[in-house]
Amino acid sequence: MKKIFSSEITPETIYNSRRSFIKKLGFSTGSLILSSSFFLNNSSQAEERNKLTTYKDITTYNNYYEFGTSKEDPSINSKNFTAEPWSIQIEGEVDKPITVSYETMVKDFPIQEKMYRLRCVEGWSMVIPWMGFSLSHLLKKVSIKNTAKFVEFESVYRPKEMIGQKSNILSWPYKEGLRLDEAMHPLTLMATGLYGKKLPNQNGAPLRLVVPWKYGFKSAKAIVKIKLVKKMPVSSWMKAISQEYGFYSNVNPKVSHPRWSQATERRIGDSIFSPRRPTELFNGYGEEVSSLYKGMDLQKYY
């Protein structure tokens, strides 16, 4: 697929019109994915459910505890974060461990635009037009051994620039993990930007994971290390509160958080008078990813 350069990115005003955006880029490119039903259901209800969240809301309403625990903290406290130069180290159960630079990744891998729903474990959601490349492209560079079953992600540790890391709310650096087949799935994105712009610091610059069928905390930000491992890694949130944050963390309206229901969600940007929206299993991506969990008890493996 042809790379999409900044000069070709659709302006934000056109992003907000779904039909104009699809017409400009061409549906046949396959670069826009919300769910398989998104393009098939042309009703006003589907249009409203997948209305893009504004750039302002996406960049000022964030959970990124490295910069503070309030939603506005990341946009305020990340201004001096240095995202260049950058590289990712890939190691573990691989034949060819490597360190690859950001510049190499964006040059060598097809950059796509993908509109994904984001569902936070706290019960709110967004629709975000990401830019990035499939994580599988990166992982294929290291010749993964048959012994590798899981992928561990580690975020950068810079307490001088990330004031939240001076607290003990989580163990630092932030760590997350996926099963190998989840990491290799075509929906799993290594994001480099959003709304046709470079990824802002408060959203995980310069490289963050996006796994749209899982709760947002699974998508590690500012990644510096990827490790292929034999056993399931223990993520930062699992280590902190294992009874509340399981390894899989697939969006599931039938599995409540111990302190609140996951049956509904609040879309950021909606009117305060708008009703909460029903939450969809796998965040609406069930047709694409449910086969990954065939035969699994999704309440046990939460």
Side-chain angles (χ1 to χ4, degrees), residues 160-276:
K160 289 184 178 180
E161 294 183 17
M162 307 174 98
I163 63 171
Q165 290 180 335
K166 295 177 182 179
S167 75
N168 60 0
I169 189 170
L170 290 171
S171 60
W172 309 110
Y174 191 87
K175 292 185 179 181
E176 254 305 338
L178 296 174
R179 212 168 60 191
L180 181 57
D181 57 349
E182 296 175 323
M184 298 298 288
H185 194 280
L187 289 187
T188 304
L189 187 73
M190 188 67 80
T192 60
L194 59 87
Y195 263 122
K197 305 173 184 179
K198 273 192 172 183
L199 200 62
N201 287 346
Q202 60 265 37
N203 292 93
L207 291 163
R208 66 165 288 168
L209 192 64
V210 179
V211 192
W213 68 94
K214 295 179 179 288
Y215 292 118
F217 68 88
K218 292 293 292 184
S219 296
K221 304 176 180 74
I223 297 170
V224 292
K225 184 184 291 186
I226 297 175
K227 189 173 184 179
L228 283 294
V229 296
K230 297 178 182 178
K231 296 182 179 180
M232 184 181 75
V234 176
S235 70
S236 292
W237 279 108
M238 290 171 66
K239 187 174 181 179
I241 322 176
S242 61
Q243 69 273 23
E244 295 190 5
Y245 301 99
F247 175 78
Y248 284 96
S249 295
N250 291 318
V251 177
N252 191 339
K254 294 182 179 180
V255 177
S256 296
H257 186 279
R259 288 179 281 142
W260 57 79
S261 169
Q262 296 288 16
T264 63
E265 62 197 62
R266 175 176 63 91
R267 176 64 50 79
I268 300 302
D270 279 357
S271 164
I272 59 174
F273 302 107
S274 299
R276 292 177 65 87

Side-chain angles (χ1 to χ4, degrees), residues 10-192:
T10 308
E12 182 174 347
T13 53
I14 299 180
Y15 266 103
N16 289 320
S17 170
R18 188 192 71 170
R19 293 186 179 88
S20 297
F21 184 50
I22 294 171
K23 181 178 179 181
K24 185 172 181 66
L25 287 181
F27 172 54
S28 62
T29 65
S31 60
L32 307 179
I33 302 174
L34 277 162
S35 70
S36 58
S37 62
F38 173 68
F39 294 107
L40 300 178
N41 187 341
N42 205 28
S43 68
S44 59
Q45 182 179 3
E47 187 84 33
E48 174 60 26
R49 176 162 185 82
N50 297 303
K51 181 182 178 182
L52 290 176
T53 305
T54 66
Y55 184 85
K56 180 180 179 181
D57 282 339
I58 294 169
T59 57
T60 58
Y61 193 91
N62 307 103
N63 280 335
Y64 197 173
Y65 285 4
E66 284 88 334
F67 293 110
T69 56
S70 297
K71 296 294 186 289
E72 67 274 11
D73 282 350
S75 62
I76 296 169
N77 296 330
S78 67
K79 290 181 172 60
N80 295 323
F81 178 73
T82 307
E84 297 178 0
W86 199 270
S87 61
I88 291 181
Q89 182 181 351
I90 308 177
E91 61 182 30
E93 299 298 306
V94 302
D95 290 322
K96 301 175 182 178
I98 60 171
T99 298
V100 57
S101 69
Y102 173 88
E103 290 77 17
T104 297
M105 285 181 271
V106 297
K107 177 174 68 72
D108 290 350
F109 303 140
I111 301 298
Q112 299 177 307
E113 291 177 308
K114 292 192 177 184
M115 289 191 292
Y116 282 161
R117 286 189 290 270
L118 169 70
R119 172 61 155 80
C120 180
V121 72
E122 296 173 345
W124 54 265
S125 62
M126 296 182 177
V127 179
I128 301 176
W130 299 104
M131 293 171 57
F133 56 87
S134 174
L135 176 62
S136 63
H137 293 313
L138 182 57
L139 296 181
K140 287 175 181 177
K141 290 182 71 70
V142 295
S143 296
I144 301 171
K145 293 181 179 179
N146 292 334
T147 50
K149 304 300 179 185
F150 295 89
V151 185
E152 182 182 75
F153 303 88
E154 183 175 311
S155 298
V156 71
Y157 178 66
R158 292 186 195 161
K160 289 184 178 180
E161 294 183 17
M162 307 174 98
I163 63 171
Q165 290 180 335
K166 295 177 182 179
S167 75
N168 60 0
I169 189 170
L170 290 171
S171 60
W172 309 110
Y174 191 87
K175 292 185 179 181
E176 254 305 338
L178 296 174
R179 212 168 60 191
L180 181 57
D181 57 349
E182 296 175 323
M184 298 298 288
H185 194 280
L187 289 187
T188 304
L189 187 73
M190 188 67 80
T192 60

